[in-house]
């Protein structure tokens, strides 16, 4: 079992920065893709960014050029550096870890609030 634990959310002003971190505990040898999703009130949970074990990345169009995802395979951690934050980035951010056998493991989420 892989359990993601997020940290680093909080309050930022528009134009500011925040960094989210997620650490995987449990059967860490099975981690494949690591990523971040977000869900704003009344909206569906959407992909923000994800990164494969080999370092291939995918970003939502809305965050390209502002957010950067990175991971440390040795520590099984994934970070999301968020710059030039906008009020529309306000959401609960969830870490998702996918194992090599296709199982998805969600973190409990961390709130990010961006004030205008």
């Amino acid at each position: 079992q892989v359990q993601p634990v997020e940290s680093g959310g909080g309050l930022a002003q528009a134009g500011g920065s925040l960094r989210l971190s997620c650490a995987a505990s449990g059967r860490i040898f099975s981690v494949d893709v690591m990523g971040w999703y977000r869900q704003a009130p009344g909206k569906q949970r959407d992909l923000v960014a994800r990164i494969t074990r080999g370092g291939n990345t995918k970003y939502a169009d809305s965050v390209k050029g502002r957010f950067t995802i990175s991971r440390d395979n040795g520590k099984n951690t994934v970070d999301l550096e968020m710059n030039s934050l906008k009020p529309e980035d306000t959401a609960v951010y969830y870490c998702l870890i996918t194992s090599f056998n296709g199982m998805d493991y969600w973190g409990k989420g961390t709130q990010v609030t961006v004030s205008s």
Side-chain angles (χ1 to χ4, degrees):
Q1 185 90 7
V2 176
Q3 178 60 52
V5 179
E6 303 107 335
S7 60
L11 178 65
Q13 291 187 333
S17 299
L18 285 173
R19 186 178 184 90
L20 305 182
S21 295
C22 176
S25 62
R27 297 181 62 185
I28 58 177
F29 65 87
S30 66
V31 174
D32 183 12
V33 180
M34 304 181 83
W36 290 94
Y37 286 70
R38 67 186 181 187
Q39 188 169 19
K43 295 188 177 181
Q44 66 181 21
R45 190 175 299 185
D46 291 325
L47 172 71
V48 177
R50 66 172 184 247
I51 183 168
T52 68
R53 192 168 185 84
N56 292 319
T57 59
K58 179 180 175 67
Y59 293 92
D61 288 342
S62 60
V63 307
K64 285 180 180 177
R66 300 188 298 121
F67 291 10
T68 302
I69 191 169
S70 60
R71 67 185 282 176
D72 185 325
N73 289 333
K75 297 180 180 179
N76 279 300
T77 58
V78 59
D79 293 341
L80 186 68
E81 183 71 32
M82 304 185 294
N83 298 315
S84 301
L85 284 163
K86 303 175 181 180
E88 50 263 44
D89 294 318
T90 295
V92 178
Y93 284 68
Y94 296 91
C95 178
L96 172 65
I97 293 173
T98 301
S99 65
F100 278 105
N101 64 355
M103 294 293 293
D104 287 338
Y105 301 93
W106 289 96
K108 294 181 179 180
T110 184
Q111 177 70 44
V112 171
T113 302
V114 183
S115 62
S116 58

